[in-house]
C-alpha cells in the first residue's frame, strides 16, 4: 500500500518597509525605505528564527538520513535583504540546498499581487525569481506558490503555461465544500497543473495556536500532533502543512518550546511506518489528482474570508494599487534599473496590507505585522512615495515615447491643455 | 444631578453633554432631577425636571445650623494655610472662621441667592453658595444617587452627600490640567480633588482623562471608569452652500486658547501652503491667543491664504463645516471633543490630535500628535490631494459618528448607579 504523505512548506518573506515620507519630500528626495528598521528587523528575525531554524532543519535532515524533507519559498525581497544585511542566512540556506532534501519553490520576486492585475509583470517577476533561485541554490523551481497563496482558475492557467507542474494554495472551505484538502487536485482550465491544498486546521495549530494558553488543546506536543495527523490521514492521502517560516522563533517565541516541538516532530511522524515526508514536487508526482478544482474568484490564505480583501478590500487599497500599476508601461519603456527596482519594491503586498481597515474588527494578526497605527497613515505615506515615483517616471519617460494605443491616440490633447 | 448649564443656554460642551446624558438616562428609566444655578425656564424639560437653584429659599429644614456646618465645613472656600501660627492662634482662627461661616449662613438664611450661572469674576463665591443651596435641595427632594458634573458642582455634590449619605458620582468632563496645562489654578485643583476624593465613583469622559485623574489626582484606578461621550444630531441639518472661490478650505473651529493648539494649525498650514497653493485656511473662534495667532500668520506672510472669522454662532457653525474640505482639531489636551464629530457628520474629513478623548472612539479620523506639525501637514496634504482617502474618511466617518449614541453611554451610567445603590443598601 502507498504510504501517506506529510508535506512541509515554509514561507520566508520580509518587506521593504517605507520610511516616514512627507509630502514635502516629493520631488526632492527619492529614497523611500526605512533602512534602519529593515536592517534591525531582518537581523533580529535572522537571529531568532532563520539561523537557529535552519540549523535545526539541517540537523534533522542529517539525523533522518534523507527521510525528512521540506520546502521553502523565499521572496526576492527577503533574498535581497539577506544579501545586504545578513549574508550568513543565504549561506545556511545553501547548506540546506546541498542536502538534496530541500525544495525551493518559485514565487513573484517582489511578493507582489501582480497576478491580479498584470500578466506581463507577473511573468517577468516569476522568471526573475526563478533565475535568482537557480543561481543561488542550483535548481530551477518546478512548483509555484503565489503571494499569500493567492489562486484562481486563471492564475493557475497562467502558471501552467509557464511550465510549472504544480501550484500551492489554500484549502479554503468555501471552495472545497464537502471535499477534503488532503488530496491532490488539478486546475480547472489546464488539468496538467496539480494543486496542493493547505490543511489550514493542522497548519494553524502550529503557526497560530501553538503558544496560545487559552486554547483548549494547549500545550501541543509532537506526539499529540501525530495523533491528529493520523486521524486526518485515516482515509485521505496527504497533509500539506504550509506556514510562515517566522513561526519558529519569531511569531512563536523560542521560550514557547516551538523548537523542541519541531525537533521531535519528524521522529514522531516517522515512527509510524505508514508515513513519509515528500516535497511538493514529489507529492505532485506520487499522488493521482482526484478532481479539478473550480476557483472562479481569487482565494488566499488570509483571514476568515480567505480572499484578497486584506490587500484590495477598500478604496484606499484599490487607489494605491491602481496608481502604482499605472506606471508599468512607462517604467518598462524607460529601461531604467533604479525605476524598475522601486516599481517592484512598491508592489510588495505588505504595503497594501497596512491599509486594511478590516483590522478594526479582525484583530491581532494584522496589528502584529503593521508598522502604522492606522490604515489612513499607511495610505498617506505610500501615496506620497508613489507621487514622487510617478514624477520620476514622467521625467524619465515623456508621454509620447510610450507606445501604447491610448496615449498615442491622445497625442494632440496635451497641446490643447497647454493653451489653457 | 448637579450641573452648571443646560441647553439652550450653553457656553461649551458641558451643557450639551448633560442634556444628551439625561435624555439617554430617561430612555433607561432613570428619573433625573437636574439642579442648575440659574435656569431661564426655556430649557428642554422633556426628559428631566429642572430645579433652579436661584429659586430655592434656604429655610429651616436644616434644624441646627451648627449641625449642618459640622457636616459641610468646607463650604467657605478659603484657606487655613497661614504660615507661622502657634496652636492658640490657630484655634482662635478656626473658631473665627467657623463663626464667620455661621454668619455667612445666617446672612443668606431665608433668602434666595441669585446666581448668575455664568463663569464670571465671583465664580468661586457662586460655587460655594451653590453648594449651600444644594444642601437644602438635597434634604427636600427624594433621590437615590447624586451625580455632579465638573468641578463647579462638586461642592454641591459633596454637601448633598454629607447631608443625606447617598452615594456620589462625580463626572469629569475636563480637568484643570486640560484647561491650563501645567500652570493650574490650585484653588480649582483642590476643589476637583475634594470632589473626586469624596465621590463613591468617578466617571471620566475618556481614557485620556481617566489617566490624568489617576496620575495627577492620585485616585485609585478601580474608582475611575471611562464612559465615552456621545453626540446627538437630532435637529441638525447639513446645509449646501455655494462658494465664491475654487480653492479648497481647511478649517480650525474652536476657542483660540492654549488647550486647543491653534499655533500648531498655523505652522502646519504654512508647510502645506509651500507645496499646495490652491488652498485656504480658516481659523474660526476667539480666545486669548487670537491676537498672537494673527501676528504669527502675518509674520509667516500667509495672510492672504489664512483667514480669521471670529466667534461663530448657531447656523454659522454648520455653514463653516459646509464650506470645509478638511477639518483639523489639533488640541493639546482634549478630554473628549465633540466638534470633530460634528464635522464628520457634515461630511468633512477630519484630522484630530491623538491627545483627545474622541480619538479613542474614532477609527475613520486621521490621528496625529498635536506637536507633530509635519504629520499634520502631511495629513492635510493627503486629504487635499488623494481623493480616495477623503472619500473613504467621509463615507465611513458619517456612519461612525451616527453610531455613537447617548443611549449606550447612559446605559453604562445607569449600571454604575445600580451598583452604587446596591452597595449603599448593605
Amino acid at each position: 500500500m502507498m504510504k501517506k504523505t506529510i508535506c512541509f512548506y515554509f514561507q520566508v518573506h520580509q518587506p521593504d518597509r517605507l520610511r516616514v515620507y512627507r509630502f514635502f519630500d516629493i520631488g526632492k528626495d527619492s529614497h523611500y525605505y526605512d533602512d534602519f528598521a529593515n536592517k534591525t528587523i531582518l537581523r533580529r528575525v535572522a537571529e531568532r528564527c532563520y539561523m537557529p531554524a535552519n540549523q535545526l532543519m539541517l540537523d534533522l535532515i542529517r539525523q533522518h538520513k534523507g527521510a525528512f524533507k521540506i520546502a521553502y519559498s523565499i521572496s526576492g525581497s527577503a533574498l535581497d535583504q539577506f544579501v545586504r544585511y545578513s549574508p550568513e542566512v543565504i549561506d545556511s540556506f545553501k547548506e540546506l540546498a546541498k542536502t538534496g532534501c530541500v525544495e525551493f519553490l518559485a514565487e513573484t520576486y517582489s511578493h507582489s499581487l501582480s497576478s491580479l492585475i498584470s500578466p506581463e509583470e507577473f511573468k517577468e517577476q516569476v522568471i526573475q525569481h526563478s533565475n535568482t533561485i537557480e543561481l543561488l541554490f542550483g535548481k530551477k523551481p518546478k512548483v509555484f506558490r503565489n503571494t499569500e497563496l493567492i489562486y484562481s482558475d486563471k492564475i493557475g492557467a497562467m502558471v501552467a503555461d509557464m511550465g510549472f507542474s504544480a501550484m500551492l494554495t489554500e484549502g479554503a472551505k468555501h471552495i472545497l465544500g464537502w471535499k477534503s484538502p488532503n488530496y491532490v487536485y488539478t486546475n480547472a482550465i489546464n488539468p496538467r497543473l496539480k494543486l496542493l491544498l493547505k490543511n489550514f486546521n493542522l497548519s494553524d495549530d502550529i503557526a497560530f495556536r501553538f503558544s496560545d494558553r487559552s486554547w483548549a488543546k494547549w500545550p501541543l506536543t509532537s506526539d499529540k500532533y501525530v495523533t491528529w495527523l493520523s486521524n486526518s490521514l485515516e482515509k485521505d492521502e496527504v497533509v500539506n502543512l504550509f506556514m510562515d517560516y517566522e513561526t519558529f522563533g519569531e511569531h512563536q517565541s523560542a521560550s514557547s518550546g516551538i523548537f523542541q516541538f519541531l525537533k521531535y516532530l519528524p521522529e514522531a511522524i516517522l515512527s509510524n511506518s505508514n508515513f513519509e515526508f515528500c516535497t511538493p514536487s514529489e507529492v505532485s508526482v506520487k499522488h493521482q489528482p482526484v478532481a479539478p478544482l473550480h476557483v472562479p474568484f481569487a482565494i488566499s490564505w488570509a483571514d476568515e474570508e480567505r480572499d484578497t480583501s486584506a490587500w484590495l478590500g477598500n478604496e484606499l487599497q484599490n487607489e494605491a494599487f491602481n496608481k502604482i500599476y499605472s506606471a508599468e508601461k512607462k517604467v518598462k519603456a524607460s529601461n531604467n534599473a533604479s525605476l524598475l527596482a522601486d516599481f517592484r519594491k512598491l508592489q510588495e503586498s505588505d504595503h497594501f496590507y497596512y491599509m486594511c481597515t478590516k483590522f478594526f474588527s479582525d484583530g491581532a494578526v494584522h496589528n502584529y505585522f503593521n508598522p502604522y497605527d492606522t490604515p489612513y497613515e499607511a495610505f498617506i505615506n505610500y501615496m506620497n512615495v508613489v507621487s514622487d515615483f510617478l514624477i520620476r517616471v514622467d521625467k524619465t519617460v515623456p508621454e509620447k515615447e510610450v507606445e501604447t494605443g491610448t496615449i498615442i491616440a491622445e497625442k494632440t490633447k496635451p497641446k490643447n491643455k497647454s493653451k489653457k | 444631578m448637579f450641573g452648571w448649564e443646560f441647553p439652550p443656554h450653553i457656553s461649551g460642551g458641558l451643557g450639551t453633554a448633560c442634556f444628551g446624558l439625561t435624555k439617554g438616562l430617561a430612555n433607561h428609566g432613570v428619573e433625573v432631577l437636574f439642579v442648575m444655578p440659574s435656569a431661564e425656564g426655556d430649557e428642554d424639560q422633556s426628559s428631566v425636571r429642572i430645579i433652579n437653584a436661584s429659586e430655592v429659599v434656604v429655610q429651616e429644614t436644616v434644624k441646627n445650623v451648627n449641625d449642618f456646618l459640622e457636616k459641610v465645613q468646607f463650604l467657605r472656600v478659603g484657606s487655613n494655610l497661614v504660615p507661622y501660627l502657634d496652636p492658640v492662634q490657630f484655634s482662635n482662627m478656626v473658631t473665627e472662621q467657623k463663626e464667620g461661616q455661621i454668619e455667612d449662613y445666617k446672612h443668606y438664611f431665608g433668602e434666595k441667592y441669585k446666581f448668575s450661572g455664568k463663569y464670571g469674576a465671583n465664580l468661586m463665591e457662586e460655587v460655594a453658595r451653590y453648594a449651600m443651596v444644594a444642601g437644602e435641595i438635597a434634604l427636600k427632594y427624594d433621590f437615590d444617587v447624586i451625580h455632579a458634573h465638573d468641578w463647579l458642582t462638586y461642592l454641591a455634590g459633596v454637601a448633598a452627600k454629607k447631608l443625606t449619605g447617598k452615594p456620589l458620582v462625580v463626572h469629569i468632563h475636563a480637568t484643570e490640567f486640560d484647561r491650563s496645562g501645567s500652570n493650574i489654578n490650585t484653588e480649582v485643583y483642590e476643589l476637583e480633588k475634594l470632589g473626586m476624593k469624596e465621590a463613591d465613583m468617578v466617571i471620566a469622559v475618556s481614557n485620556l482623562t481617566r489617566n490624568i485623574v489617576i496620575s495627577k489626582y492620585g485616585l485609585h484606578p478601580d474608582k475611575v471608569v471611562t464612559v465615552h461621550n456621545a453626540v446627538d444630531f437630532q435637529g441638525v441639518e447639513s446645509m449646501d452652500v455655494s462658494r465664491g472661490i475654487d480653492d479648497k478650505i481647511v478649517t480650525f473651529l474652536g476657542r483660540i486658547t492654549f488647550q486647543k493648539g491653534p499655533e500648531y494649525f498655523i505652522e502646519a498650514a504654512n508647510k502645506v501652503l509651500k507645496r499646495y497653493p490652491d488652498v485656504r485656511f480658516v481659523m474660526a473662534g476667539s480666545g486669548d491667543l487670537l491676537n498672537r495667532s494673527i501676528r504669527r500668520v502675518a509674520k509667516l506672510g500667509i495672510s492672504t491664504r489664512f483667514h480669521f472669522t471670529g466667534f461663530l454662532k448657531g447656523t454659522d457653525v454648520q455653514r463653516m463645516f459646509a464650506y470645509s474640505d478638511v477639518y483639523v482639531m489639533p488640541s493639546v489636551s482634549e478630554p473628549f471633543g465633540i466638534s470633530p464629530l460634528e464635522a464628520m457628520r457634515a461630511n468633512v474629513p477630519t484630522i484630530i490630535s491623538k491627545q483627545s478623548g474622541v480619538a479613542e472612539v474614532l477609527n475613520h479620523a486621521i490621528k496625529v500628535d498635536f506637536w507633530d506639525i509635519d504629520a499634520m501637514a502631511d495629513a492635510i496634504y493627503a486629504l487635499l490631494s488623494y481623493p480616495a482617502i477623503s472619500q473613504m474618511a467621509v463615507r465611513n466617518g458619517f456612519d461612525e459618528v451616527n453610531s455613537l449614541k447617548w443611549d449606550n453611554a447612559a446605559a453604562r451610567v445607569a449600571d454604575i448607579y445600580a451598583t452604587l445603590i446596591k452597595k449603599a443598601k448593605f
Side-chain angles (χ1 to χ4, degrees):
Chain A
M1 202 184 85
M2 192 170 66
K3 282 190 178 184
K4 311 277 186 178
T5 305
I6 312 289
C7 175
F8 265 119
Y9 134 73
F10 306 109
Q11 177 62 34
V12 180
H13 170 59
Q14 288 295 327
D16 292 282
R17 296 162 196 87
L18 300 175
R19 71 178 179 92
V20 174
Y21 191 92
R22 301 291 185 208
F23 72 95
F24 24 81
D25 296 326
I26 298 172
K28 288 183 187 157
D29 185 345
S30 297
H31 184 73
Y32 305 142
Y33 312 102
D34 189 341
D35 294 331
F36 179 76
N38 289 329
K39 178 169 144 186
T40 323
I41 294 172
L42 191 91
R43 288 199 175 152
R44 185 191 74 205
V45 184
E47 190 188 313
R48 287 190 193 168
C49 162
Y50 302 139
M51 292 307 288
N54 280 6
Q55 186 58 50
L56 179 57
M57 295 296 183
L58 193 62
D59 293 346
L60 287 169
I61 288 167
R62 286 180 180 151
Q63 179 193 337
H64 294 286
K65 302 190 172 60
F68 180 57
K69 295 171 188 174
I70 51 175
Y72 292 103
S73 188
I74 313 175
S75 73
S77 324
L79 287 170
D80 285 346
Q81 292 192 59
F82 288 142
V83 170
R84 255 184 104 178
Y85 302 127
S86 208
E88 69 276 13
V89 176
I90 300 263
D91 294 337
S92 72
F93 276 118
K94 282 183 178 168
E95 200 67 22
L96 281 164
K98 277 187 214 153
T99 64
C101 295
V102 177
E103 179 175 1
F104 290 89
L105 310 180
E107 64 173 291
T108 56
Y109 196 84
S110 310
H111 201 265
S112 73
L113 305 168
S114 52
S115 61
L116 298 170
I117 187 166
S118 167
E120 298 79 31
E121 176 63 13
F122 175 70
K123 282 175 193 160
E124 279 175 37
Q125 284 197 25
V126 175
I127 291 167
Q128 185 191 4
H129 184 260
S130 288
N131 291 343
T132 310
I133 293 295
E134 189 180 8
L135 197 71
L136 285 171
F137 306 117
K139 263 193 184 165
K140 205 163 194 69
K142 287 186 225 149
V143 174
F144 183 77
R145 89 104 222 186
N146 200 11
T147 307
E148 309 285 351
L149 296 192
I150 290 171
Y151 175 82
S152 70
D153 293 340
K154 272 190 188 163
I155 294 171
M158 216 159 41
V159 170
D161 286 346
M162 295 182 74
F164 291 102
S165 63
M167 182 168 171
L168 276 42
T169 186
E170 173 72 23
K173 261 190 198 147
H174 69 279
I175 295 298
L176 284 171
W178 57 268
K179 295 198 276 295
S180 161
N182 305 332
Y183 289 95
V184 172
Y185 294 82
T186 68
N187 178 256
I189 299 170
N190 188 338
R192 272 175 306 165
L193 185 81
K194 311 260 177 71
L195 295 179
L196 276 58
L197 306 185
K198 173 185 158 195
N199 183 314
F200 66 81
N201 282 326
L202 286 165
S203 300
D204 295 350
D205 284 338
I206 300 177
F208 294 138
R209 291 182 281 271
F210 183 79
S211 61
D212 179 3
R213 288 177 185 234
S214 62
W215 180 34
K217 292 164 185 165
W218 187 89
L220 182 56
T221 60
S222 315
D223 290 333
K224 195 192 281 185
Y225 193 74
V226 172
T227 323
W228 299 347
L229 283 175
S230 308
N231 294 341
S232 289
L233 286 172
E234 207 174 324
K235 288 186 186 129
D236 300 356
E237 296 178 355
V238 52
V239 167
N240 294 311
L241 301 171
F242 299 167
M243 64 197 75
D244 283 340
Y245 200 32
E246 294 80 14
T247 298
F248 304 99
E250 180 69 15
H251 305 339
Q252 310 291 344
S253 69
S255 62
S256 72
I258 189 80
F259 286 111
Q260 265 65 36
F261 171 79
L262 182 61
K263 191 176 169 188
Y264 294 105
L265 186 62
E267 200 179 314
I269 290 175
L270 291 168
S271 70
N272 183 331
S273 57
N274 198 25
F275 289 169
E276 68 174 352
F277 289 99
C278 289
T279 65
S281 55
E282 289 172 347
V283 173
S284 74
V285 175
K286 177 179 162 191
H287 294 280
Q288 277 302 309
V290 290
L293 196 68
H294 292 273
V295 186
F297 303 105
I299 56 169
S300 79
W301 70 358
D303 302 337
E304 274 304 303
E305 296 90 339
R306 299 291 199 277
D307 60 10
T308 58
S309 62
W311 307 275
L312 299 172
N314 66 38
E315 48 264 72
L316 300 183
Q317 296 168 315
N318 293 331
E319 164 79 354
F321 190 66
N322 290 331
K323 276 277 146 44
I324 186 66
Y325 281 99
S326 74
E328 183 185 344
K329 290 208 167 80
K330 284 188 180 183
V331 169
K332 289 183 179 159
S334 76
N335 266 325
N336 178 320
S338 98
L339 277 185
L340 186 65
D342 283 333
F343 179 58
R344 297 258 149 97
K345 285 179 180 169
L346 292 174
Q347 289 180 47
E348 290 166 13
S349 67
D350 309 74
H351 303 309
F352 305 101
Y353 194 73
Y354 303 147
M355 301 173 200
C356 179
T357 36
K358 284 200 298 181
F359 76 80
F360 292 139
S361 53
D362 192 338
V365 187
H366 283 260
N367 284 333
Y368 176 85
F369 291 104
N370 198 336
Y372 299 95
D373 284 344
T374 72
Y376 289 99
E377 272 174 58
F379 176 80
I380 291 173
N381 207 54
Y382 184 80
M383 288 305 285
N384 288 343
V385 167
V386 170
S387 299
D388 180 79
F389 176 72
L390 293 177
I391 290 171
R392 281 167 62 209
V393 171
D394 283 337
K395 268 190 199 156
T396 322
V397 191
E399 294 278 311
K400 58 184 178 193
E401 282 180 27
V402 183
E403 294 192 11
T404 66
T406 46
I407 292 177
I408 288 172
E410 286 171 5
K411 233 177 188 173
T412 48
K413 271 192 180 167
K415 278 184 189 168
N416 293 339
K417 267 184 195 162
S418 62
K419 271 182 199 166
K420 243 184 188 175
Chain B
M1 191 176 280
F2 293 103
W4 201 256
E5 52 175 42
F6 207 73
H9 307 285
I10 54 169
S11 77
L14 180 59
T16 320
C18 288
F19 180 57
L21 181 63
T22 52
K23 251 171 85 173
L25 282 170
N27 289 345
H28 288 279
V30 178
E31 225 179 291
V32 179
L33 288 172
F34 194 86
V35 184
M36 57 189 290
S38 175
E40 304 278 330
D42 56 352
E43 283 80 9
D44 184 338
Q45 299 211 27
S46 56
S47 43
V48 290
R49 220 176 112 200
I50 301 237
I51 298 168
N52 185 351
S54 300
E55 297 289 315
V56 174
V57 183
V58 179
Q59 279 175 346
E60 230 176 336
T61 332
V62 188
K63 289 270 161 35
N64 182 333
V65 179
N66 274 322
D67 186 42
F68 179 87
L69 289 174
E70 196 81 344
K71 285 179 175 154
V72 284
Q73 272 188 16
F74 48 83
L75 274 192
R76 195 163 204 213
V77 184
S79 170
N80 291 353
L81 287 175
V82 184
Y84 313 121
L85 282 181
D86 62 40
V88 180
Q89 277 176 309
F90 182 77
S91 120
N92 287 344
M93 201 195 77
V94 171
T95 320
E96 216 171 274
Q97 259 206 336
K98 204 169 178 183
E99 277 163 7
Q101 237 170 357
I102 296 173
E103 278 310 302
D104 275 0
Y105 193 80
K106 282 187 176 153
H107 189 251
Y108 289 99
F109 199 67
E111 282 180 29
K112 291 176 188 173
Y113 180 80
K114 184 71 189 148
F115 292 94
S116 72
K118 300 280 184 328
Y119 302 89
N122 44 1
L123 187 57
M124 278 299 173
E125 195 196 329
E126 292 209 359
V127 165
R129 300 286 168 224
Y130 185 46
M132 201 175 278
V133 177
E136 180 70 26
I137 293 166
L139 292 171
K140 211 166 173 182
Y141 292 88
D142 188 31
F143 55 91
D144 299 305
V145 181
I146 308 153
H147 190 145
H149 292 278
D150 260 12
W151 70 273
L152 295 155
T153 73
Y154 290 172
L155 270 187
V158 176
K161 178 182 172 171
K162 294 261 169 176
L163 289 169
T164 63
K166 299 276 165 67
L168 169 66
V169 176
V170 305
H171 203 128
I172 322 270
H173 296 264
T175 66
E176 184 58 14
F177 293 93
D178 300 308
R179 288 182 291 264
S180 313
S182 47
N183 305 316
I184 56 163
N185 178 335
T186 50
E187 234 176 327
V188 173
Y189 174 76
E190 287 304 329
L191 275 180
E192 289 182 325
K193 207 167 170 178
L194 173 86
M196 294 179 202
K197 199 180 124 236
E198 295 293 332
D200 298 275
M201 199 49 118
V202 175
I203 297 177
V205 292
S206 62
N207 294 326
L208 184 93
T209 303
R210 182 172 179 267
N211 289 339
I212 294 176
V213 166
I214 292 167
S215 65
K216 302 245 162 111
Y217 294 83
L219 255 67
H220 193 282
D222 288 351
K223 202 174 135 179
V224 194
V225 290
T226 300
V227 176
H228 285 112
N229 275 349
V231 65
D232 182 3
F233 289 116
Q234 248 179 39
V236 178
E237 294 289 323
S238 51
M239 53 173 78
D240 285 322
V241 289
S242 63
R243 290 192 197 177
I245 40 171
D246 293 335
D247 294 335
K248 303 228 169 155
I249 290 177
V250 182
T251 305
F252 169 106
L253 196 153
R255 280 179 288 116
I256 303 177
T257 58
F258 159 82
Q259 186 193 347
K260 303 292 179 184
E263 63 263 50
Y264 303 101
F265 181 69
I266 296 171
E267 300 305 325
N270 187 40
K271 289 197 174 237
V272 174
L273 281 168
K274 284 193 179 134
R275 293 298 298 264
Y276 194 101
D278 303 329
V279 62
R280 286 167 191 274
F281 290 83
V282 175
M283 186 169 274
S286 63
D288 56 2
L289 291 185
L290 175 60
N291 291 344
R292 199 169 96 182
S293 299
I294 296 173
R295 282 202 301 277
R296 181 64 188 156
V297 166
K299 195 170 175 208
L300 289 169
I302 54 173
S303 301
T304 54
R305 295 257 149 209
F306 198 111
H307 312 282
F308 293 89
T309 66
F311 183 72
L312 295 184
K313 272 199 292 202
T315 54
D316 280 351
V317 173
Q318 281 310 311
R319 185 166 294 128
M320 192 62 239
F321 283 135
Y323 263 118
S324 305
D325 294 287
V326 177
Y327 177 74
V328 186
M329 184 185 76
S331 295
V332 171
S333 178
E334 188 74 65
F336 193 74
I338 289 284
S339 69
L341 304 179
E342 292 171 340
M344 287 162 83
R345 165 77 186 199
N347 289 317
V348 185
T350 298
I351 300 164
I352 56 180
S353 78
K354 289 180 185 170
Q355 288 69 29
S356 67
V358 74
E360 296 163 18
V361 297
L362 289 180
N363 284 325
H364 294 286
I366 298 174
K367 299 167 198 172
V368 298
D369 286 306
F370 73 85
W371 44 262
D372 195 348
I373 47 176
D374 282 354
M376 199 185 297
D378 211 24
I380 295 170
Y381 178 86
L383 285 171
L384 297 173
S385 321
Y386 310 131
I389 189 169
S390 40
Q391 280 160 20
M392 174 137 157
V394 164
R395 188 168 52 75
N396 292 321
F398 185 80
D399 294 342
E400 191 166 41
V401 294
N402 283 329
S403 68
L404 300 173
K405 296 256 187 284
W406 272 115
D407 264 5
N408 305 333
R412 301 211 40 213
V413 173
D415 278 350
I416 293 168
Y417 290 167
T419 318
L420 289 177
I421 292 169
K422 218 175 175 182
K423 240 197 245 164
K425 276 186 184 151
F426 286 105

